[in-house]
């Protein structure tokens, strides 16, 4: 049975675009509940400027208060050297660095050209000097709403350059929900050939309803690590009409039903997922938390018993 590993990103990627501040106590409690569900990693927060992302201004406090469960890695996003220093002081298990493979998206999102971003992140990697594992998330690896499809050679080129710097993992992101399964299969084949020694993670959004189909295409191509966001929270401000990330519980439910080992206690995870509308103050896209698992059966209507008697 193939083992699939999930990284929960709701408390960082999902929360960071929510308009109303989610209290620190709620974030800590949520991470603690998720820690007991069987995740390989939880992306807890981001050590970015509180002015840039006010939602995550409590990063140090959250990292200091969560209950760390053996076997779970607590990863954080860091945008620069100062963020990396703060993350190291907070005992993060992994640093996640981010840039876009689309020049236009990188300028819009990070306000600098790609080469500036690469140079800055390379500086962080050198400064950390192996003290903590580093993952690099490459955004818009399948398409950019302002440029169109990002050429595979561009994606592989940046992946190669970061691999040469000694990073432990690469996350290939469909930031704007433009990927489709055939494209995913092609990208995964190329990535597996060259970077099989690294932790390769796929990160999909469900903007056009193809998120789970893309997960399946990646699994069939040999990928065993995925990001997901509880309830399907998240999104990209530079993707018009964007919905959130793939719903963790929906993806895990699908893979469990197909016989894959996700290591996740789905019953427990769904109990947590059902709290999300109350936490964020609105409905969330996830489906399985609303409909239940396919193994959750329901009593037949009373009329069925009467009809059985009639047709005896």
């Amino acid at each position: 049975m193939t083992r699939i590993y999930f990284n929960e990103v709701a408390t960082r990627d999902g929360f960071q675009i929510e308009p109303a501040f989610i209290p620190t106590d709620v974030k800590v409690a949520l991470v603690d509940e998720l820690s007991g569900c069987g995740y390989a990693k939880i992306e807890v927060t981001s050590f970015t400027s509180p002015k840039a992302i006010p939602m995550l201004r409590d990063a140090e406090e959250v990292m200091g208060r969560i209950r760390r469960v053996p076997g779970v890695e607590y990863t954080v996003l860091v945008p620069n050297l100062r963020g990396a220093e703060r993350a190291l002081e907070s005992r993060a298990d992994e640093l996640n660095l981010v840039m876009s493979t689309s020049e236009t998206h990188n300028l819009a999102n990070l306000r600098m050209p790609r080469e500036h971003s690469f140079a800055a992140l390379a500086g962080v990697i050198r400064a950390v000097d192996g003290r903590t594992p580093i993952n690099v998330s490459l955004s818009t690896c399948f398409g950019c709403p302002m440029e169109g499809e990002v050429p595979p050679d561009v994606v592989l080129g940046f992946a190669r350059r970061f691999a040469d710097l000694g990073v432990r993992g690469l996350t290939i992101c469909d930031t704007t929900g433009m990927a489709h399964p055939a494209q995913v299969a092609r990208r995964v084949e190329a990535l597996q050939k060259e970077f099989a020694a690294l932790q390769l993670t796929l990160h999909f959004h469900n903007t056009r309803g193809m998120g789970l189909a893309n997960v399946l295409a990646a699994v069939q191509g040999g990928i065993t690590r995925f990001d997901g966001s509880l309830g399907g929270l998240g999104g990209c401000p530079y993707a018009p009409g964007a919905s959130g990330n793939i719903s963790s519980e929906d993806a895990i439910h699908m893979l469990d039903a197909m016989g894959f080992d996700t290591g996740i206690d789905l019953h427990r995870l769904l109990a947590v997922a059902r709290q999300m509308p109350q936490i964020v103050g609105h409905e969330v896209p996830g489906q399985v938390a609303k409909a239940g698992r396919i193994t959750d059966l329901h009593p037949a209507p009373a009329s069925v018993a009467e009809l059985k008697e009639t047709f005896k």
Side-chain angles (χ1 to χ4, degrees), residues 249-267:
E249 64 273 22
D250 290 0
I252 290 162
H253 173 262
M254 176 186 76
L255 293 169
D256 275 2
M258 295 177 68
F260 292 96
D261 174 16
T262 63
I264 301 289
D265 182 339
L266 184 56
H267 179 77

Side-chain angles (χ1 to χ4, degrees), residues 97-110:
L97 314 181
V98 178
M99 67 165 285
S100 180
T101 57
S102 154
E103 181 77 352
T104 306
H105 188 272
N106 206 70
L107 286 164
N109 191 42
L110 299 178

